Amino acid sequence: MALLITTIVAMSRRPSRRLGDGGSIPFVSSLHPKAQTSPLLSIGLVVVGAFLIIGYLYSGSGQSRNDIEALSKLEDGVSCTLEAQKALPILQKAYGDSMHKVLHVGPETCSMVSKLLKEEDTEAWGVEPYDLDDADDNCKSLVRRGIVRVADIKFPLPYRAKSFSLVIVSDALDYLSPKYLNKTLPELARVSADGFVVFAGYPGQHRAKGAELSKFGRPAKLRSSSWWIRFFVQTNLEENEAATKKFEQAATKKSYKPACQVFHLKSLP
């Protein structure tokens, strides 16, 4: 890069040639042949050269704007709870009336529940698997009213069977070992009537290690889609194919690409 900029500066200091001498840029050829190039012109050429180099590096890497934005998002860390909030319009298309009574399970559930409660004809509850020491006033109010509960999801959920039309879980299962997933997944299927949706991280995604250890006690175990599918089969859980198809169709129509893995599963009979 330094060599290219030096070359540009050196070229800018050469006397300009007339059009008849070989056809240079018209603007440069109009200058007096004995006059030195303006310092401002030299600086301008250096700046243009720098922008051309940056543009070349981005285009040469084969990264689109979406790829660069995704990389920036990855560096900042990915929250599947925030992703679930972004996906709500898509979920509404996929589940329709089943979105009228929703339970969210996962960290930052207060923000998810608050967003759901703003939707028309939607009731929402939340389970926070971890502490709420840093909860804001809105979250404390949801807890006081019994809308949000703090509960260890390694144990049975404090709800009756089919209490909710739909259950959405995000950023919670990634922190459970298979030993506890064997208990938690059937519980999610038990308390839902029309299925449940899992938002899980992709392998290789960045999570803030310090925050993870202080809040969750262990780093996230980000698994592949094939691992999850095998585990669902082992746990006797079936894919909700109709919801999966509707979700994919709505996502394609809205040009939505989730930053987390999304699985649609059936409730228990």
Side-chain angles (χ1 to χ4, degrees):
M1 185 183 292
L3 178 61
L4 180 56
I5 293 175
T6 303
T7 304
I8 293 172
V9 174
M11 290 174 63
S12 69
R13 290 176 179 170
R14 294 177 184 173
S16 60
R17 294 185 296 172
R18 298 172 186 268
L19 283 172
D21 292 336
S24 62
I25 302 172
F27 177 74
V28 178
S29 66
S30 66
L31 299 175
H32 194 282
K34 294 183 179 179
Q36 291 187 348
T37 304
S38 167
L40 291 176
L41 179 59
S42 298
I43 295 171
L45 288 171
V46 171
V47 172
V48 171
F51 276 113
L52 288 173
I53 292 168
I54 294 171
Y56 171 78
L57 290 175
Y58 274 112
S59 61
S61 65
Q63 287 181 309
S64 66
R65 182 178 178 183
N66 289 337
D67 293 332
I68 294 167
E69 288 176 354
L71 179 60
S72 174
K73 187 174 183 181
L74 187 64
E75 290 173 348
D76 293 337
V78 175
S79 165
C80 288
T81 297
L82 291 179
E83 193 61 34
Q85 292 183 34
K86 291 180 184 177
L88 283 178
I90 312 298
L91 289 170
Q92 287 167 345
K93 291 288 186 182
Y95 286 92
D97 292 339
S98 295
M99 290 286 291
H100 75 276
K101 195 172 184 180
V102 181
L103 173 69
H104 174 260
V105 179
E108 310 300 332
T109 193
C110 288
S111 62
M112 181 66 164
V113 170
S114 297
K115 193 171 183 68
L116 282 165
L117 289 174
K118 292 178 182 177
E119 300 294 329
E120 188 176 357
D121 299 325
T122 299
E123 299 177 55
W125 287 263
V127 171
E128 169 62 60
Y130 308 102
D131 63 78
L132 286 171
D133 293 339
D134 56 350
D136 58 19
D137 291 340
N138 176 61
C139 189
K140 291 176 181 177
S141 173
L142 292 173
V143 173
R144 283 195 303 269
R145 292 154 58 193
I147 295 174
V148 169
R149 296 187 182 187
V150 178
D152 191 337
I153 60 172
K154 294 193 293 291
F155 301 97
L157 295 172
Y159 303 104
R160 294 178 180 177
K162 303 188 183 302
S163 293
F164 308 96
S165 53
L166 185 70
V167 173
I168 301 171
V169 57
S170 59
D171 281 330
L173 302 183
D174 290 333
Y175 295 93
L176 296 181
S177 66
K179 172 185 175 182
Y180 291 112
L181 284 172
N182 273 320
K183 300 177 181 178
T184 301
L185 285 170
E187 275 295 289
L188 298 172
R190 180 185 67 83
V191 301
S192 61
D194 300 328
F196 67 103
V197 188
V198 174
F199 283 79
Y202 280 107
Q205 280 182 333
H206 171 72
R207 299 288 174 91
K209 293 293 177 63
E212 280 185 326
L213 294 176
S214 63
K215 187 167 187 176
F216 309 129
R218 56 174 292 174
K221 182 71 173 177
L222 303 178
R223 296 137 172 146
S224 67
S225 60
S226 59
W227 188 95
W228 279 112
I229 291 169
R230 284 196 303 270
F231 197 85
F232 294 146
V233 171
Q234 292 171 11
T235 322
N236 297 318
L237 292 172
E238 297 180 24
E239 179 188 10
N240 189 335
E241 294 180 359
T244 299
K245 185 177 181 180
K246 289 179 181 179
F247 184 89
E248 290 175 349
Q249 289 174 341
T252 300
K253 191 173 182 180
K254 295 283 187 180
S255 299
Y256 168 72
K257 294 182 179 180
C260 297
Q261 301 181 83
V262 185
F263 302 99
H264 305 266
L265 300 162
K266 291 182 179 180
S267 303
L268 292 180

